Amino acid sequence: MHGFEDAQANKEHLVLTLGDVTGSEPVLARVHSECLTGDALFSLRCDCGNQLQAALRAIAHAGRGALFYLRQEGRGIGLLNKIKAYHLQNEGPDTVEANERLGFGADTRDYSILRPMFEHLQINSVCLMTNNPRKVAALEELGIDVAERLPLQCDSNPHNEKYLQTKGAKLGHIF
């Protein structure tokens, strides 16, 4: 486990690594934004906890990899605002519309902290487990080589079907 402090954003992030992640061979990796409700409380409203568990299983199976856990709750809006967005969603708006009604963009996450994290760990290239093409683009903009995008397939349920559809239709996620 490796801890990192982003003094500018006043946030702490961590990376879990398995095996030797240094070298020129691409590292199996997941960049995961914190989701207390999904990761720890097993919310059915999102697929975050399932994606986290699937990524950890894939890394364990591969015997080598890194999970970057970024403290960016609710696509960057924070826990309390995410709870407010949930209440709005109960009235009909989707996840993007709820964030926008609260005065936020659809996705306000900042991935710039990843550059020093990758440098510290001496990771030069990744096979990135994500459904989000914007995350691939963000890493590439930071100079991080994304050798391959690997989709994370998780089952949907009646509570997150609209959420997943919105991620595909409005945020460009590829499932």
Side-chain angles (χ1 to χ4, degrees):
M1 184 180 297
H2 310 265
F4 296 87
E5 183 177 9
D6 182 349
Q8 197 169 28
N10 195 30
K11 292 185 179 179
E12 297 170 334
H13 309 283
L14 65 89
V15 182
L16 301 174
T17 59
L18 179 65
D20 183 3
V21 296
T22 62
S24 60
E25 193 71 24
V27 174
L28 182 61
R30 165 84 179 148
V31 173
H32 188 86
S33 293
E34 175 183 42
C35 176
L36 177 69
T37 54
D39 297 344
L41 302 177
F42 309 106
S43 173
L44 298 175
R45 293 184 78 135
C46 65
D47 60 342
C48 301
N50 291 337
Q51 287 189 347
L52 176 62
Q53 295 303 314
L56 290 170
R57 280 192 303 273
I59 290 168
H61 181 74
R64 177 177 180 261
L67 178 99
F68 295 79
Y69 197 86
L70 304 183
R71 306 290 306 278
Q72 304 190 90
E73 184 78 44
R75 280 192 226 104
I77 68 172
L79 179 60
L80 297 181
N81 283 317
K82 182 168 106 173
I83 292 168
K84 291 175 186 175
Y86 278 175
H87 286 290
L88 288 173
Q89 289 171 46
N90 289 340
E91 298 169 5
D94 64 36
T95 183
V96 170
E97 294 164 347
N99 282 14
E100 290 171 345
R101 284 191 188 183
L102 291 171
F104 300 102
D107 190 339
T108 64
R109 291 178 288 187
D110 176 10
Y111 296 105
S112 60
I113 187 63
L114 288 170
R115 184 77 229 147
M117 295 167 89
F118 272 75
E119 288 171 355
H120 176 79
L121 296 168
Q122 299 176 33
I123 296 174
N124 300 312
S125 180
V126 293
C127 293
L128 187 65
M129 293 181 279
T130 186
N131 299 326
N132 186 350
R134 292 180 185 184
K135 196 177 290 183
V136 173
L139 268 65
E140 290 174 340
E141 286 176 19
L142 293 170
I144 299 165
D145 177 47
V146 179
E148 183 178 6
R149 182 193 71 84
L150 303 169
L152 276 175
Q153 301 298 335
C154 298
D155 293 333
S156 64
N157 66 66
H159 305 285
N160 71 10
E161 285 176 348
K162 182 178 177 183
Y163 170 79
L164 295 174
Q165 290 169 352
T166 300
K167 283 173 65 171
K170 293 188 175 180
L171 299 173
H173 287 223
I174 304 165
F175 297 102

